[in-house]
Amino acid sequence: WNAFNDPLLGALSDRTHTRFGRRIPYIMVAFIPLGVIMFWLFTPLKTLENSVEMANFIYFLLIIILFELFYTMYSLNLTSLFPEVFITSELRAKANNVRQVFTIIGLIMAFILPSFFISDYSDPSSLPEYRIFGIACMFIVIACGYIFLKYGPKERKEFQADHENAPGFFNNIKYCVKNKSFLWYSVSEICNWFVYGMLPTIVPLYAKFVLGVQDSFLISLLLGLTFISAVIFMTILWKPLVQKIGNRKTWMISMASWIATLTPLMFIKDFIGGVITFFLIGIGLSGSLYIIDLVVSDIVDEDETVTGMRREAGYYGVNALFLRFTTILIFLAISTVFTNVGWAVFEPDVITPEILFGLRTLIFIFPAIALAIAIFAIYK
């Protein structure tokens, strides 16, 4: 559904014309339903012990489809405003620094805040605590959406007529696929998002079984340190480097540094080692977070010189379609490793050396391979 949902809403956004512009109306419609669905996302029908498995499956499927619809409606149009509102490289570098700092603050909240509500992430008896966390998420999303609409940037008048020639759903996909710059970029972004998705999925298990960390707050703290580090290095390292050597070369350097800082995860065995390593991981992570949208902005600019119109939402929509492969790759990687190391349930009775090696493989070897492929793609 999400693979279809993103390019559809992207093409629709590019073809929209209202007195509020192309993007803002979708954000206005989406932010309240998105907040409400955040609560239901963390609320199963019943506790797992008493529920019918198929009923929970159907319920969650409906909730996740609605969530993806309104999240895409909000996020895709929000992201599409960035290259349209900030036209020059200098403006983009300045605005993106502020934007990504707030992104990282949001990520820190996302990884640390649950620990204040949920006592044990892997214990089904903690399900009622997930619901309370869902209420907190709902208020955060609605409040932030309102603040953006009231005080955020507005669309530029010089692009108001671009909707007239914007392509439809199928033609939009065709035009994007024909763009070689966009295709190589998509390979690299799929690899980056594979790492984005793999780390938070595996870190709670890695911290608990490899590093021996049982406290959920300390587990969240490890990821929190990564994002705190990312804020620091984004400002002092990657922003000046982008301005000096450009987006493409800087991104390649940042991904190489990310591989280097992930390497200790194959060897560390305690919480102190985890604190140091996860802080250093923020170096490479911050470069990727900072540069990705700058590269898309370059691609949209390049496309405008050919087509005479700006199609930010169309590109972001097709880009999101490609990113759905990331989730599939993460599932396949985790399933392959867990099946081969004898981990058939979420929390095994006996932690074998094979299971520990499997966790190290998922948190380092798979991400390192993905980042190496990404570096090659951006080089091309």
Side-chain angles (χ1 to χ4, degrees):
W1 160 249
N2 208 17
F4 172 79
N5 168 51
D6 284 283
L8 176 66
L9 286 173
L12 189 62
S13 177
D14 280 342
R15 292 164 67 90
T16 296
H17 178 65
T18 73
R19 64 188 181 94
F20 297 106
R22 293 191 290 180
R23 320 298 184 198
I24 297 294
Y26 291 101
I27 298 171
M28 293 169 65
V29 168
F31 82 103
I32 292 178
L34 178 60
V36 173
I37 290 167
M38 285 295 291
F39 166 71
W40 295 109
L41 195 62
F42 289 95
T43 307
L45 287 174
K46 301 176 182 178
T47 58
L48 290 177
E49 291 85 356
N50 300 321
S51 64
V52 177
E53 189 174 2
M54 182 54 70
N56 255 345
F57 170 75
I58 294 171
Y59 168 82
F60 183 71
L61 184 63
L62 292 173
I63 293 300
I64 202 70
I65 284 173
L66 288 172
F67 169 79
E68 292 294 358
L69 171 66
F70 288 108
Y71 175 77
T72 297
M73 191 181 296
Y74 180 88
S75 176
L76 183 141
N77 286 283
L78 185 73
T79 308
S80 297
L81 280 174
F82 171 70
E84 180 179 317
V85 171
F86 305 103
I87 291 297
T88 67
S89 297
E90 292 76 16
L91 280 175
R92 285 173 182 168
K94 290 179 181 178
N96 200 43
N97 194 60
V98 176
R99 180 169 168 259
Q100 295 304 335
V101 165
F102 275 96
T103 296
I104 291 171
I105 290 171
L107 289 168
I108 292 171
M109 289 176 63
F111 287 114
I112 293 181
L113 195 63
S115 65
F116 291 102
F117 296 90
I118 303 165
S119 55
D120 188 336
Y121 297 142
S122 60
D123 184 357
S125 66
S126 299
L127 278 174
E129 297 167 351
Y130 275 83
R131 297 188 185 107
I132 298 171
F133 174 63
I135 294 173
C137 288
M138 176 176 67
F139 284 111
I140 290 170
V141 169
I142 292 175
C144 290
Y146 173 77
I147 290 169
F148 174 79
L149 287 171
K150 187 167 179 63
Y151 301 106
K154 302 298 183 282
E155 299 178 48
R156 287 179 176 267
K157 293 181 179 179
E158 55 263 45
F159 302 126
Q160 284 185 346
D162 281 11
H163 72 281
E164 294 173 0
N165 299 313
F169 175 71
F170 292 107
N171 281 334
N172 178 59
I173 295 175
K174 183 175 71 174
Y175 291 147
C176 290
V177 169
K178 284 183 177 181
N179 187 323
K180 290 183 179 179
S181 297
F182 178 71
L183 284 180
W184 281 117
Y185 161 81
S186 296
V187 172
S188 189
E189 198 190 20
I190 286 170
C191 293
N192 273 255
W193 277 86
F194 175 84
V195 184
Y196 292 161
M198 183 65 80
L199 290 180
T201 303
I202 295 300
V203 163
L205 303 174
Y206 177 87
K208 186 171 185 177
F209 299 117
V210 177
L211 304 182
V213 181
Q214 302 297 320
D215 187 276
S216 61
F217 175 77
L218 293 179
I219 293 172
S220 297
L221 182 63
L222 291 175
L223 284 167
L225 281 170
T226 300
F227 293 116
I228 291 169
S229 165
V231 172
I232 297 170
F233 287 103
M234 186 180 291
T235 304
I236 68 173
L237 177 60
W238 301 120
K239 180 185 175 184
L241 202 57
V242 160
Q243 292 173 328
K244 186 174 183 179
I245 66 174
N247 299 329
R248 177 175 164 272
K249 291 179 180 178
T250 304
W251 197 9
M252 292 168 66
I253 294 170
S254 79
M255 289 187 284
S257 70
W258 204 357
I259 294 173
T261 55
L262 286 168
T263 304
L265 295 173
M266 280 298 292
F267 310 105
I268 59 174
K269 297 180 179 179
D270 55 35
F271 178 68
I272 299 301
V275 167
I276 297 169
T277 300
F278 279 95
F279 181 82
L280 293 175
I281 288 171
I283 299 173
L285 170 68
S286 63
S288 183
L289 285 172
Y290 183 72
I291 297 162
I292 276 184
D293 282 339
L294 295 178
V295 176
V296 179
S297 300
D298 288 343
I299 292 168
V300 171
D301 292 344
E302 180 187 57
D303 179 73
E304 186 185 12
T305 65
V306 177
T307 65
M309 59 184 169
R310 298 191 67 82
R311 300 190 297 115
E312 289 92 348
Y315 271 105
Y316 279 116
V318 176
N319 179 57
L321 183 154
F322 290 159
L323 286 182
R324 300 290 74 78
F325 291 106
T326 303
T327 308
I328 296 169
L329 291 172
I330 291 170
F331 289 162
L332 288 175
I334 293 174
S335 175
T336 301
V337 171
F338 279 11
T339 301
N340 283 283
V341 300
W343 191 332
V345 295
F346 189 76
E347 191 164 335
D349 296 325
V350 179
I351 306 301
T352 64
E354 289 78 15
I355 286 176
L356 296 179
F357 180 74
L359 288 170
R360 292 186 188 275
T361 299
L362 288 169
I363 207 167
F364 168 66
I365 294 178
F366 279 86
I369 292 171
L371 290 170
I373 294 170
I375 292 171
F376 173 75
I378 285 300
Y379 172 78
K380 293 291 290 182

